PDB file of all heavy atoms in Angstrom:
ATOM      1  N   VAL A  23      -6.585  14.175 -19.740  1.00 93.00           N
ATOM      2  CA  VAL A  23      -7.200  12.871 -19.572  1.00 93.00           C
ATOM      3  C   VAL A  23      -7.900  12.536 -20.877  1.00 93.00           C
ATOM      4  O   VAL A  23      -8.557  13.380 -21.473  1.00 93.00           O
ATOM      5  CB  VAL A  23      -8.211  12.877 -18.399  1.00 93.00           C
ATOM      6  CG1 VAL A  23      -9.011  11.594 -18.369  1.00 93.00           C
ATOM      7  CG2 VAL A  23      -7.483  13.088 -17.084  1.00 93.00           C
ATOM      8  N   VAL A  52       2.051  14.859 -37.869  1.00 96.00           N
ATOM      9  CA  VAL A  52       3.140  14.027 -38.367  1.00 96.00           C
ATOM     10  C   VAL A  52       4.180  13.979 -37.254  1.00 96.00           C
ATOM     11  O   VAL A  52       4.618  15.018 -36.743  1.00 96.00           O
ATOM     12  CB  VAL A  52       3.769  14.604 -39.658  1.00 96.00           C
ATOM     13  CG1 VAL A  52       4.987  13.779 -40.063  1.00 96.00           C
ATOM     14  CG2 VAL A  52       2.742  14.662 -40.772  1.00 96.00           C
ATOM     15  N   GLU A  65       8.277  10.815 -25.365  1.00 86.00           N
ATOM     16  CA  GLU A  65       8.985  11.960 -25.940  1.00 86.00           C
ATOM     17  C   GLU A  65       8.675  11.995 -27.432  1.00 86.00           C
ATOM     18  O   GLU A  65       8.747  10.971 -28.113  1.00 86.00           O
ATOM     19  CB  GLU A  65      10.488  11.805 -25.713  1.00 86.00           C
ATOM     20  CG  GLU A  65      11.296  12.988 -26.159  1.00 86.00           C
ATOM     21  CD  GLU A  65      12.783  12.813 -25.886  1.00 86.00           C
ATOM     22  OE1 GLU A  65      13.270  11.669 -25.805  1.00 86.00           O
ATOM     23  OE2 GLU A  65      13.456  13.838 -25.774  1.00 86.00           O
ATOM     24  N   GLU A  72      -3.686  22.374 -37.752  1.00 97.00           N
ATOM     25  CA  GLU A  72      -4.901  22.343 -36.933  1.00 97.00           C
ATOM     26  C   GLU A  72      -5.900  23.384 -37.413  1.00 97.00           C
ATOM     27  O   GLU A  72      -5.533  24.517 -37.691  1.00 97.00           O
ATOM     28  CB  GLU A  72      -4.510  22.621 -35.474  1.00 97.00           C
ATOM     29  CG  GLU A  72      -5.655  22.641 -34.499  1.00 97.00           C
ATOM     30  CD  GLU A  72      -5.165  22.920 -33.090  1.00 97.00           C
ATOM     31  OE1 GLU A  72      -4.674  24.044 -32.838  1.00 97.00           O
ATOM     32  OE2 GLU A  72      -5.263  22.018 -32.252  1.00 97.00           O
ATOM     33  N   THR A  83       5.628  20.926 -32.090  1.00 94.00           N
ATOM     34  CA  THR A  83       5.506  20.669 -30.661  1.00 94.00           C
ATOM     35  C   THR A  83       6.482  19.594 -30.221  1.00 94.00           C
ATOM     36  O   THR A  83       6.606  18.549 -30.874  1.00 94.00           O
ATOM     37  CB  THR A  83       4.069  20.206 -30.318  1.00 94.00           C
ATOM     38  OG1 THR A  83       3.149  21.155 -30.815  1.00 94.00           O
ATOM     39  CG2 THR A  83       3.883  20.049 -28.824  1.00 94.00           C
ATOM     40  N   TYR A  84       7.169  19.860 -29.124  1.00 93.00           N
ATOM     41  CA  TYR A  84       8.010  18.869 -28.460  1.00 93.00           C
ATOM     42  C   TYR A  84       7.321  18.527 -27.147  1.00 93.00           C
ATOM     43  O   TYR A  84       6.942  19.424 -26.389  1.00 93.00           O
ATOM     44  CB  TYR A  84       9.417  19.425 -28.188  1.00 93.00           C
ATOM     45  CG  TYR A  84      10.244  18.514 -27.323  1.00 93.00           C
ATOM     46  CD1 TYR A  84      10.862  17.393 -27.856  1.00 93.00           C
ATOM     47  CD2 TYR A  84      10.389  18.756 -25.966  1.00 93.00           C
ATOM     48  CE1 TYR A  84      11.615  16.539 -27.060  1.00 93.00           C
ATOM     49  CE2 TYR A  84      11.143  17.919 -25.158  1.00 93.00           C
ATOM     50  CZ  TYR A  84      11.751  16.806 -25.711  1.00 93.00           C
ATOM     51  OH  TYR A  84      12.484  15.968 -24.915  1.00 93.00           O
ATOM     52  N   LYS A  86       7.491  15.805 -23.659  1.00 88.00           N
ATOM     53  CA  LYS A  86       8.302  14.837 -22.923  1.00 88.00           C
ATOM     54  C   LYS A  86       7.641  14.542 -21.600  1.00 88.00           C
ATOM     55  O   LYS A  86       7.223  15.440 -20.882  1.00 88.00           O
ATOM     56  CB  LYS A  86       9.716  15.355 -22.681  1.00 88.00           C
ATOM     57  CG  LYS A  86      10.583  14.322 -21.975  1.00 88.00           C
ATOM     58  CD  LYS A  86      12.020  14.728 -21.871  1.00 88.00           C
ATOM     59  CE  LYS A  86      12.750  13.623 -21.148  1.00 88.00           C
ATOM     60  NZ  LYS A  86      14.048  13.384 -21.671  1.00 88.00           N
ATOM     61  N   GLY A  87       7.560  13.253 -21.294  1.00 80.00           N
ATOM     62  CA  GLY A  87       7.001  12.806 -20.030  1.00 80.00           C
ATOM     63  C   GLY A  87       6.595  11.356 -20.141  1.00 80.00           C
ATOM     64  O   GLY A  87       6.161  10.902 -21.194  1.00 80.00           O
ATOM     65  N   GLN A  92       0.411  13.910 -17.769  1.00 80.00           N
ATOM     66  CA  GLN A  92       1.173  15.095 -17.369  1.00 80.00           C
ATOM     67  C   GLN A  92       2.513  15.113 -18.103  1.00 80.00           C
ATOM     68  O   GLN A  92       3.406  14.355 -17.765  1.00 80.00           O
ATOM     69  CB  GLN A  92       1.427  15.098 -15.857  1.00 80.00           C
ATOM     70  CG  GLN A  92       0.157  15.093 -15.036  1.00 80.00           C
ATOM     71  CD  GLN A  92       0.436  15.248 -13.557  1.00 80.00           C
ATOM     72  OE1 GLN A  92       1.050  16.223 -13.145  1.00 80.00           O
ATOM     73  NE2 GLN A  92      -0.019  14.297 -12.769  1.00 80.00           N
ATOM     74  N   LYS A 115       9.880  11.280 -41.175  1.00 94.00           N
ATOM     75  CA  LYS A 115       8.473  11.131 -40.796  1.00 94.00           C
ATOM     76  C   LYS A 115       8.269   9.678 -40.372  1.00 94.00           C
ATOM     77  O   LYS A 115       8.590   8.760 -41.123  1.00 94.00           O
ATOM     78  CB  LYS A 115       7.559  11.462 -41.967  1.00 94.00           C
ATOM     79  CG  LYS A 115       7.602  12.917 -42.376  1.00 94.00           C
ATOM     80  CD  LYS A 115       6.720  13.162 -43.591  1.00 94.00           C
ATOM     81  CE  LYS A 115       6.819  14.601 -44.046  1.00 94.00           C
ATOM     82  NZ  LYS A 115       6.067  14.839 -45.285  1.00 94.00           N
ATOM     83  N   ASP A 122     -10.527  14.207 -35.925  1.00 98.00           N
ATOM     84  CA  ASP A 122     -11.598  14.943 -36.585  1.00 98.00           C
ATOM     85  C   ASP A 122     -12.834  14.930 -35.690  1.00 98.00           C
ATOM     86  O   ASP A 122     -13.296  13.866 -35.292  1.00 98.00           O
ATOM     87  CB  ASP A 122     -11.911  14.272 -37.930  1.00 98.00           C
ATOM     88  CG  ASP A 122     -12.819  15.111 -38.806  1.00 98.00           C
ATOM     89  OD1 ASP A 122     -13.011  16.311 -38.519  1.00 98.00           O
ATOM     90  OD2 ASP A 122     -13.342  14.550 -39.790  1.00 98.00           O
ATOM     91  N   LYS A 132     -11.229  23.151 -21.748  1.00 90.00           N
ATOM     92  CA  LYS A 132     -11.542  22.720 -23.097  1.00 90.00           C
ATOM     93  C   LYS A 132     -11.616  21.201 -23.160  1.00 90.00           C
ATOM     94  O   LYS A 132     -10.911  20.495 -22.434  1.00 90.00           O
ATOM     95  CB  LYS A 132     -10.584  23.285 -24.128  1.00 90.00           C
ATOM     96  CG  LYS A 132      -9.239  22.643 -24.236  1.00 90.00           C
ATOM     97  CD  LYS A 132      -8.454  23.282 -25.383  1.00 90.00           C
ATOM     98  CE  LYS A 132      -7.187  22.520 -25.646  1.00 90.00           C
ATOM     99  NZ  LYS A 132      -6.438  23.032 -26.768  1.00 90.00           N
ATOM    100  N   ALA A 133     -12.508  20.733 -24.025  1.00 96.00           N
ATOM    101  CA  ALA A 133     -12.688  19.301 -24.253  1.00 96.00           C
ATOM    102  C   ALA A 133     -12.769  19.091 -25.761  1.00 96.00           C
ATOM    103  O   ALA A 133     -13.362  19.890 -26.477  1.00 96.00           O
ATOM    104  CB  ALA A 133     -13.962  18.815 -23.575  1.00 96.00           C
ATOM    105  N   TYR A 142       1.100   4.107 -40.157  1.00 94.00           N
ATOM    106  CA  TYR A 142       2.472   3.769 -39.790  1.00 94.00           C
ATOM    107  C   TYR A 142       2.962   2.748 -40.812  1.00 94.00           C
ATOM    108  O   TYR A 142       2.269   1.764 -41.097  1.00 94.00           O
ATOM    109  CB  TYR A 142       2.489   3.181 -38.376  1.00 94.00           C
ATOM    110  CG  TYR A 142       3.833   2.720 -37.884  1.00 94.00           C
ATOM    111  CD1 TYR A 142       4.859   3.623 -37.635  1.00 94.00           C
ATOM    112  CD2 TYR A 142       4.073   1.376 -37.648  1.00 94.00           C
ATOM    113  CE1 TYR A 142       6.089   3.195 -37.163  1.00 94.00           C
ATOM    114  CE2 TYR A 142       5.302   0.941 -37.174  1.00 94.00           C
ATOM    115  CZ  TYR A 142       6.308   1.848 -36.936  1.00 94.00           C
ATOM    116  OH  TYR A 142       7.535   1.426 -36.474  1.00 94.00           O
ATOM    117  N   LYS A 143       4.129   2.999 -41.383  1.00 90.00           N
ATOM    118  CA  LYS A 143       4.730   2.107 -42.381  1.00 90.00           C
ATOM    119  C   LYS A 143       3.763   1.805 -43.524  1.00 90.00           C
ATOM    120  O   LYS A 143       3.639   0.680 -43.977  1.00 90.00           O
ATOM    121  CB  LYS A 143       5.219   0.816 -41.721  1.00 90.00           C
ATOM    122  CG  LYS A 143       6.373   1.043 -40.758  1.00 90.00           C
ATOM    123  CD  LYS A 143       6.955  -0.249 -40.273  1.00 90.00           C
ATOM    124  CE  LYS A 143       8.173   0.053 -39.400  1.00 90.00           C
ATOM    125  NZ  LYS A 143       8.817  -1.154 -38.930  1.00 90.00           N
ATOM    126  N   LEU A 149      -8.670   4.232 -34.752  1.00 97.00           N
ATOM    127  CA  LEU A 149      -8.612   3.974 -33.307  1.00 97.00           C
ATOM    128  C   LEU A 149      -9.964   4.121 -32.622  1.00 97.00           C
ATOM    129  O   LEU A 149     -10.149   3.635 -31.520  1.00 97.00           O
ATOM    130  CB  LEU A 149      -7.608   4.916 -32.637  1.00 97.00           C
ATOM    131  CG  LEU A 149      -6.165   4.832 -33.106  1.00 97.00           C
ATOM    132  CD1 LEU A 149      -5.307   5.802 -32.322  1.00 97.00           C
ATOM    133  CD2 LEU A 149      -5.624   3.432 -32.991  1.00 97.00           C
ATOM    134  N   GLU A 156      -8.483  18.730 -21.093  1.00 88.00           N
ATOM    135  CA  GLU A 156      -7.154  19.180 -20.680  1.00 88.00           C
ATOM    136  C   GLU A 156      -7.168  20.565 -20.060  1.00 88.00           C
ATOM    137  O   GLU A 156      -8.060  21.371 -20.292  1.00 88.00           O
ATOM    138  CB  GLU A 156      -6.178  19.149 -21.850  1.00 88.00           C
ATOM    139  CG  GLU A 156      -6.339  20.270 -22.834  1.00 88.00           C
ATOM    140  CD  GLU A 156      -5.222  20.293 -23.861  1.00 88.00           C
ATOM    141  OE1 GLU A 156      -4.848  19.224 -24.387  1.00 88.00           O
ATOM    142  OE2 GLU A 156      -4.728  21.397 -24.143  1.00 88.00           O
ATOM    143  N   VAL A 157      -6.128  20.773 -19.266  1.00 84.00           N
ATOM    144  CA  VAL A 157      -5.850  22.059 -18.642  1.00 84.00           C
ATOM    145  C   VAL A 157      -4.356  22.291 -18.797  1.00 84.00           C
ATOM    146  O   VAL A 157      -3.563  21.361 -18.674  1.00 84.00           O
ATOM    147  CB  VAL A 157      -6.225  22.034 -17.135  1.00 84.00           C
ATOM    148  CG1 VAL A 157      -5.810  23.318 -16.457  1.00 84.00           C
ATOM    149  CG2 VAL A 157      -7.710  21.788 -16.955  1.00 84.00           C
ATOM    150  N   ILE A 166      -5.317  17.837 -10.006  1.00 89.00           N
ATOM    151  CA  ILE A 166      -6.082  18.315 -11.163  1.00 89.00           C
ATOM    152  C   ILE A 166      -6.378  17.158 -12.105  1.00 89.00           C
ATOM    153  O   ILE A 166      -7.491  17.035 -12.630  1.00 89.00           O
ATOM    154  CB  ILE A 166      -5.346  19.459 -11.892  1.00 89.00           C
ATOM    155  CG1 ILE A 166      -5.343  20.713 -11.017  1.00 89.00           C
ATOM    156  CG2 ILE A 166      -5.996  19.751 -13.240  1.00 89.00           C
ATOM    157  CD1 ILE A 166      -4.527  21.859 -11.569  1.00 89.00           C
ATOM    158  N   GLU A 171     -10.242  13.289 -14.554  1.00 94.00           N
ATOM    159  CA  GLU A 171     -10.720  11.918 -14.718  1.00 94.00           C
ATOM    160  C   GLU A 171     -12.148  11.779 -14.203  1.00 94.00           C
ATOM    161  O   GLU A 171     -13.008  11.191 -14.869  1.00 94.00           O
ATOM    162  CB  GLU A 171      -9.812  10.931 -13.986  1.00 94.00           C
ATOM    163  CG  GLU A 171      -8.499  10.692 -14.677  1.00 94.00           C
ATOM    164  CD  GLU A 171      -7.571   9.764 -13.905  1.00 94.00           C
ATOM    165  OE1 GLU A 171      -7.896   9.358 -12.757  1.00 94.00           O
ATOM    166  OE2 GLU A 171      -6.497   9.441 -14.445  1.00 94.00           O
ATOM    167  N   PRO A 178     -22.140  11.680 -19.959  1.00 96.00           N
ATOM    168  CA  PRO A 178     -22.897  10.661 -20.688  1.00 96.00           C
ATOM    169  C   PRO A 178     -22.173  10.296 -21.986  1.00 96.00           C
ATOM    170  O   PRO A 178     -21.614  11.153 -22.660  1.00 96.00           O
ATOM    171  CB  PRO A 178     -24.226  11.358 -20.986  1.00 96.00           C
ATOM    172  CG  PRO A 178     -23.919  12.813 -20.955  1.00 96.00           C
ATOM    173  CD  PRO A 178     -22.817  12.980 -19.949  1.00 96.00           C
ATOM    174  N   VAL A 180     -19.459   8.429 -22.226  1.00 96.00           N
ATOM    175  CA  VAL A 180     -18.054   8.081 -21.995  1.00 96.00           C
ATOM    176  C   VAL A 180     -17.996   6.696 -21.368  1.00 96.00           C
ATOM    177  O   VAL A 180     -18.754   6.394 -20.449  1.00 96.00           O
ATOM    178  CB  VAL A 180     -17.367   9.124 -21.084  1.00 96.00           C
ATOM    179  CG1 VAL A 180     -15.985   8.660 -20.657  1.00 96.00           C
ATOM    180  CG2 VAL A 180     -17.282  10.464 -21.797  1.00 96.00           C
ATOM    181  N   GLU A 186      -3.359   5.724 -22.909  1.00 89.00           N
ATOM    182  CA  GLU A 186      -2.254   5.244 -23.735  1.00 89.00           C
ATOM    183  C   GLU A 186      -2.036   6.251 -24.870  1.00 89.00           C
ATOM    184  O   GLU A 186      -2.999   6.743 -25.465  1.00 89.00           O
ATOM    185  CB  GLU A 186      -2.577   3.866 -24.306  1.00 89.00           C
ATOM    186  CG  GLU A 186      -1.431   3.280 -25.107  1.00 89.00           C
ATOM    187  CD  GLU A 186      -1.714   1.860 -25.601  1.00 89.00           C
ATOM    188  OE1 GLU A 186      -2.891   1.512 -25.772  1.00 89.00           O
ATOM    189  OE2 GLU A 186      -0.749   1.131 -25.829  1.00 89.00           O
ATOM    190  N   THR A 197       1.434  -3.164 -36.068  1.00 91.00           N
ATOM    191  CA  THR A 197       2.450  -4.227 -36.010  1.00 91.00           C
ATOM    192  C   THR A 197       1.873  -5.552 -35.525  1.00 91.00           C
ATOM    193  O   THR A 197       2.396  -6.603 -35.864  1.00 91.00           O
ATOM    194  CB  THR A 197       3.654  -3.808 -35.125  1.00 91.00           C
ATOM    195  OG1 THR A 197       3.177  -3.465 -33.814  1.00 91.00           O
ATOM    196  CG2 THR A 197       4.388  -2.639 -35.730  1.00 91.00           C
ATOM    197  N   SER A 198       0.806  -5.517 -34.737  1.00 88.00           N
ATOM    198  CA  SER A 198       0.206  -6.778 -34.259  1.00 88.00           C
ATOM    199  C   SER A 198      -0.602  -7.457 -35.368  1.00 88.00           C
ATOM    200  O   SER A 198      -0.859  -8.655 -35.300  1.00 88.00           O
ATOM    201  CB  SER A 198      -0.682  -6.546 -33.041  1.00 88.00           C
ATOM    202  OG  SER A 198      -1.827  -5.811 -33.402  1.00 88.00           O
ATOM    203  N   ASP A 200       0.492  -7.603 -38.481  1.00 63.00           N
ATOM    204  CA  ASP A 200       1.455  -8.101 -39.488  1.00 63.00           C
ATOM    205  C   ASP A 200       1.698  -9.588 -39.342  1.00 63.00           C
ATOM    206  O   ASP A 200       1.582 -10.207 -38.374  1.00 63.00           O
ATOM    207  CB  ASP A 200       2.792  -7.351 -39.381  1.00 63.00           C
ATOM    208  CG  ASP A 200       2.685  -5.922 -39.883  1.00 63.00           C
ATOM    209  OD1 ASP A 200       1.704  -5.614 -40.585  1.00 63.00           O
ATOM    210  OD2 ASP A 200       3.579  -5.107 -39.563  1.00 63.00           O
TER     211      ASP A 200
END
Side-chain angles (χ1 to χ4, degrees):
V23 171
V52 174
E65 185 179 25
E72 179 180 66
T83 306
Y84 171 79
K86 183 173 180 142
Q92 300 186 58
K115 293 177 183 175
D122 191 14
K132 78 176 189 177
Y142 177 67
K143 294 188 176 182
L149 300 181
E156 76 172 44
V157 174
I166 291 174
E171 285 177 355
V180 171
E186 183 176 26
T197 57
S198 68
D200 288 343

